Amino acid sequence: MKIFIDTANIDQIREMAWLIDGVTTNPTLVAREKRPFEEIVREICGIVSGPVSAEVTALDAPGMISQARALAGIHENVVIKIPMTEAGMRAVTTLSQEGIRTNVTLVFSAPQALIAAKCGASFVSPFVGRIDDAGGSGMEVVSEIVEIYRNYGFATEIIVASVRHPRHVLEAALLGAEIATVPYAVLKKLFNHPLTDVGIDRFLKDWEQVPK
Ligand code: G3P
């Protein structure tokens, strides 16, 4: 399973670069950095060797396509994040014919993911945390997408997004999703277990009894 980091923060990306397989950003994450968007994307591509998702902000297909072509020109690893709308799917269809990779974002249902795959999306991003927040089950949606993609042999990879805690990562892995994109704070939690800390303390205490 691949792990991406869900951030536009260069320090966080640099720190975790040894572990991660890619990066996802969105307009909210970019806005926090108070720096020009294209400059951030270029810098990330210089740090990480995997896919780097950069999102368009146009809402019409021609606007999305022209923003996508410009972003894709920054670096070969740039993947264009396109929102799951009818206009977005027209853009994905054109971009996929041009060989530009896309990540269909703001996906909240399996039928949306089916359409994204049919349009040639390289990646699809179900937002599990936001589905849970709205009283649904994000992981049930992921499970449906996994089954649909398996039924028809779609090559679209599932990025489990809007991850809030390690259990989301665990469940994504159990379902066989190809990728989880994980915020920095959750990524750090993946290393931890209280019994690991207790175990280290005990070993170090016992080690003091070893004659020197
Ligand atoms: O990058 C998209 C997604 O991961 C956003 O997550 O926490 O804003 O719902 P969140």
Side-chain angles (χ1 to χ4, degrees):
M1 182 191 189
K2 285 171 272 186
I3 294 188
F4 291 2
I5 190 167
D6 195 27
T7 184
N9 183 277
I10 297 295
D11 293 338
Q12 294 178 353
I13 293 166
R14 241 185 246 291
E15 184 188 329
M16 302 314 292
W18 62 276
L19 178 72
I20 55 173
D21 302 293
V23 178
T24 53
T25 68
N26 64 38
T28 305
L29 295 171
V30 170
R32 282 184 200 150
E33 301 308 311
K34 315 278 180 226
R35 287 178 58 199
F37 180 33
E38 297 201 357
E39 189 182 295
I40 294 175
V41 173
R42 193 169 291 111
E43 199 171 342
I44 296 173
C45 290
I47 300 169
V48 177
S49 54
V52 175
S53 285
E55 190 157 342
V56 298
T57 49
L59 293 178
D60 60 307
M64 289 181 192
I65 291 166
S66 95
Q67 286 184 352
R69 287 177 182 148
L71 287 168
I74 294 176
H75 193 281
E76 60 182 2
N77 287 343
V78 173
V79 172
I80 311 302
K81 239 175 160 181
I82 306 261
M84 177 64 224
T85 60
E86 188 174 335
M89 293 314 95
R90 285 177 187 271
V92 167
T93 303
T94 301
L95 293 168
S96 122
Q97 284 159 3
E98 291 180 14
I100 294 177
R101 289 187 295 166
T102 55
N103 170 3
V104 173
T105 188
L106 291 166
V107 166
F108 295 94
S109 75
Q112 288 182 316
L114 169 62
I115 294 297
K118 279 188 70 67
C119 292
S122 316
F123 302 95
V124 69
S125 292
F127 275 29
V128 294
R130 294 194 197 182
I131 296 171
D132 292 352
D133 290 345
S137 166
M139 283 304 159
E140 237 169 73
V141 173
V142 173
S143 161
E144 290 168 354
I145 299 170
V146 168
E147 191 174 335
I148 291 168
Y149 285 9
R150 197 180 296 136
N151 285 347
Y152 296 100
F154 285 121
T156 307
E157 292 186 78
I158 302 168
I159 304 181
V160 172
S162 187
V163 162
R164 299 281 158 77
H165 44 69
R167 187 137 196 109
H168 275 151
V169 180
L170 166 67
E171 287 170 1
L174 288 171
L175 289 173
E178 286 82 5
I179 303 147
T181 189
V182 186
Y184 176 82
V186 179
L187 207 46
K188 298 296 261 189
K189 286 184 189 169
L190 293 175
F191 295 94
N192 300 336
H193 193 286
L195 289 178
T196 305
D197 299 335
V198 169
I200 288 172
D201 280 353
R202 192 175 302 159
F203 284 153
L204 289 182
K205 270 205 186 76
D206 291 345
W207 188 247
E208 284 167 18
Q209 310 309 314
V210 176
K212 308 281 179 329

